């Protein structure tokens, strides 16, 4: 007789997951890498290519350790103790970004940019370990029907935190001179990161019933992972769809610089833009929750691609700051739509004993798209923003084609 696990769909776990997301998203939004980071790089005399590289480091470093972590994690019945170690490391690296700006901004722009790059990479790098454990917890702690609702509630909470963070960012940027204000953004947000981790610390982890025996070495694991990928056609389409969804990052980090060059940006404008991105996410998540709870994740993906297309088209006619408000609102909704749908889809198609492997395969291959900001910076440097926008539209349309081929749940 199978053992009954009383830690499935716990309300206390749901609350920890939601409030963790609230404080973590609020923290990251205070020093938002799509708006604040490009302005920091610009202040320290970095060019658009460096904006692309650092934006990619922040997002792309996450992929490096995932396969190795999945190799280690597949035979573990419990993972939360390992996740706690990742929490501590990520707090220290994020805090160090702000400390570096505060201590070295008067010495050398190059030193500041190198330190920012290093600590952002380490912050992102450690997430590659954490995300396997985090999604493993999510996959075994909630049933698939309940999980879509929980993810949506968490994303609504995260979006709400982002709206509040926009006001905090605007206040700091307006109250302090640069570059001290940039430093304070990271230091204050690190405090909120610490709060999010404390909330999640006592998450009640269910014991995993079906585990896979770990291969003798990492090479054998990679061979087996390749066989899994080759045998699962739906996984292949899902990877391509998610990879192309990251085409949004071809243009996203540079929209704020276009607005700055065309219209000029005040601190209050930055605060509104930071707030509107999660505001779009909050409202979008009501729709995403409705669709996901009915296993319409494919529909969520297609709508999200459509919102990105509308946002990019909007940059061609943006002659007032209000256009950018709408663009950031739509992009916020689309990013959360992609995040919810792909997070749920991989947990649905993955067998329990191979869940870490499926997560790592999808994340490692599709997350190469997180480096799209680098070719985006190259295109912008060699040509102009309109060429970058056209190329982004081409990638989005390709993503729509692959998403149409996804299997219906």
């Amino acid at each position: 007789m199978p053992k009954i696990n009383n830690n499935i769909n716990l309300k206390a776990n749901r609350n920890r997951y939601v409030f963790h997301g609230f404080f973590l998203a609020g923290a990251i939004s205070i020093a938002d890498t799509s708006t604040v980071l490009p302005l920091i790089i610009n202040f320290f005399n970095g060019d658009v290519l460096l904006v692309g590289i650092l934006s990619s480091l922040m997002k792309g470093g996450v992929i490096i350790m995932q396969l190795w972590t999945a190799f280690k994690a597949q035979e573990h019945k419990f993972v939360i103790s390992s996740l706690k170690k990742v929490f501590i490391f990520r707090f220290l690296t994020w805090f160090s970004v702000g400390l570096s700006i505060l201590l070295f901004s008067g010495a050398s722009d190059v030193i500041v940019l190198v330190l920012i790059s290093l600590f952002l990479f380490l912050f992102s790098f450690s997430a590659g370990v954490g995300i396997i454990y985090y999604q493993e917890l999510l996959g075994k702690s909630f049933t698939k029907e309940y999980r879509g609702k929980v993810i949506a509630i968490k994303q609504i909470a995260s979006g709400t935190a982002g709206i509040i963070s926009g006001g905090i960012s605007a206040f700091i940027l307006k109250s302090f001179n640069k570059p001290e204000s940039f430093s304070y953004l990271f230091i204050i947000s690190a405090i909120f990161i610490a709060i999010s981790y404390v909330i999640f610390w006592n998450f009640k982890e269910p014991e995993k019933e079906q585990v896979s025996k770990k291969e003798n070495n990492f090479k054998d694991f990679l061979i087996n992972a390749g066989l899994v990928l080759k045998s699962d056609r739906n996984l292949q389409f899902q990877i391509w769809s998610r990879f192309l969804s990251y085409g949004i990052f071809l243009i996203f980090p540079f929209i704020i610089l276009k607005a700055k060059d065309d219209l000029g940006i005040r601190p209050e404008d930055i605060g509104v833009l930071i707030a509107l991105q999660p505001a779009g996410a909050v409202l979008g998540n009501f729709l995403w929750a409705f669709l996901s709870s009915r296993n319409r994740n494919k529909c969520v993906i297609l709508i999200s691609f459509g919102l990105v297309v509308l946002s990019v088209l909007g940059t061609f006619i943006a002659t007032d700051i209000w256009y950018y408000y709408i663009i950031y609102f739509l992009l916020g909704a689309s990013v959360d739509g992609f995040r919810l749908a792909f997070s749920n889809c991989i947990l649905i198609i993955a067998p329990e004993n191979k869940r870490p492997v499926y997560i790592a395969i999808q994340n490692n291959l599709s997350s190469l798209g997180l480096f799209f900001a680098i070719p985006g910076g190259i295109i912008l440097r060699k040509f102009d923003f309109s060429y970058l926008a056209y190329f982004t539209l081409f990638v989005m349309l390709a993503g729509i084609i692959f998403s149409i081929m996804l299997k219906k749940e």
Side-chain angles (χ1 to χ4, degrees), residues 191-203:
I191 296 172
F192 287 99
I193 287 177
I195 294 171
S196 76
Y197 292 159
V198 169
I199 289 171
F200 202 81
W201 207 258
N202 291 319
F203 192 97

Side-chain angles (χ1 to χ4, degrees), residues 132-406:
I132 298 296
Y133 300 136
Y134 192 71
Q135 287 198 266
E136 173 72 358
L137 276 177
L138 182 62
K140 66 180 179 176
S141 299
F142 306 109
T143 59
K144 80 173 180 180
E145 293 81 11
Y146 189 60
R147 186 170 54 238
K149 294 179 182 178
V150 172
I151 295 174
I153 293 170
K154 178 241 188 182
Q155 292 188 173
I156 290 170
S158 299
T160 304
I163 296 170
I164 297 170
S165 297
I168 297 173
S169 299
F171 173 78
I172 294 172
L173 291 170
K174 198 169 184 179
S175 300
F176 301 96
N177 294 325
K178 300 172 185 176
E180 287 82 7
S181 59
F182 293 141
S183 173
Y184 297 150
L185 288 174
F186 278 93
I187 291 173
I188 292 171
S189 62
I191 296 172
F192 287 99
I193 287 177
I195 294 171
S196 76
Y197 292 159
V198 169
I199 289 171
F200 202 81
W201 207 258
N202 291 319
F203 192 97
K204 295 187 184 302
E205 180 181 11
E207 181 178 353
K208 187 174 181 178
E209 295 177 7
Q210 298 181 39
V211 296
S212 290
K213 187 176 186 230
K214 187 174 71 173
E215 291 84 352
N216 292 327
N217 56 64
F218 188 53
K219 180 182 176 183
D220 290 342
F221 169 79
L222 291 177
I223 292 172
N224 288 338
L227 293 174
V228 168
L229 176 62
K230 187 176 179 181
S231 66
D232 196 323
R233 189 171 177 81
N234 196 46
L235 177 61
Q236 295 169 19
F237 282 128
Q238 195 163 296
I239 287 170
W240 274 110
S241 176
R242 192 184 186 205
F243 169 75
L244 293 168
S245 76
Y246 287 130
I248 187 175
F249 297 119
L250 279 163
I251 200 170
F252 205 167
F254 308 106
I255 293 174
I256 188 71
L257 298 181
K258 183 177 188 294
K260 176 177 172 287
D261 292 339
D262 291 351
L263 307 173
I265 291 287
R266 301 167 299 168
E268 48 266 42
D269 293 327
I270 299 171
V272 172
L273 291 173
I274 290 174
L276 280 171
Q277 187 179 331
V282 168
L283 291 181
N285 271 298
F286 287 104
L287 176 60
W288 309 149
F290 173 79
L291 293 173
S292 183
S293 66
R294 286 158 177 75
N295 281 331
R296 301 292 300 278
N297 295 290
K298 177 178 175 178
C299 186
V300 173
I301 293 169
L302 288 169
I303 294 173
S304 297
F305 270 111
L307 293 179
V308 177
V309 170
L310 286 176
S311 301
V312 176
L313 291 174
T315 63
F316 287 103
I317 59 172
T319 56
D320 187 272
I321 192 63
W322 288 97
Y323 288 95
Y324 290 97
Y325 290 166
I326 296 171
I327 288 168
Y328 272 83
F329 182 88
L330 294 178
L331 289 175
S334 64
V335 167
D336 262 27
F338 288 135
R339 184 181 295 126
L340 182 148
F342 287 118
S343 294
N344 211 18
C345 281
I346 193 63
L347 295 173
I348 289 171
I349 69 171
E352 181 183 3
N353 64 324
K354 288 292 182 184
R355 192 159 47 215
V357 181
Y358 267 68
I359 293 168
I361 291 172
Q362 174 176 277
N363 289 352
N364 269 262
L365 295 179
S366 66
S367 294
L368 292 172
L370 291 170
F371 293 96
F372 269 132
I374 296 176
I378 294 171
I379 293 171
L380 188 58
R381 179 195 262 183
K382 288 187 173 293
F383 302 101
D384 61 25
F385 191 88
S386 61
Y387 280 89
L388 179 58
Y390 285 126
F391 186 70
T392 303
L393 287 172
F394 172 78
V395 172
M396 290 297 104
L397 292 175
I400 290 173
I401 292 172
F402 274 98
S403 300
I404 290 171
M405 292 188 284
L406 287 174

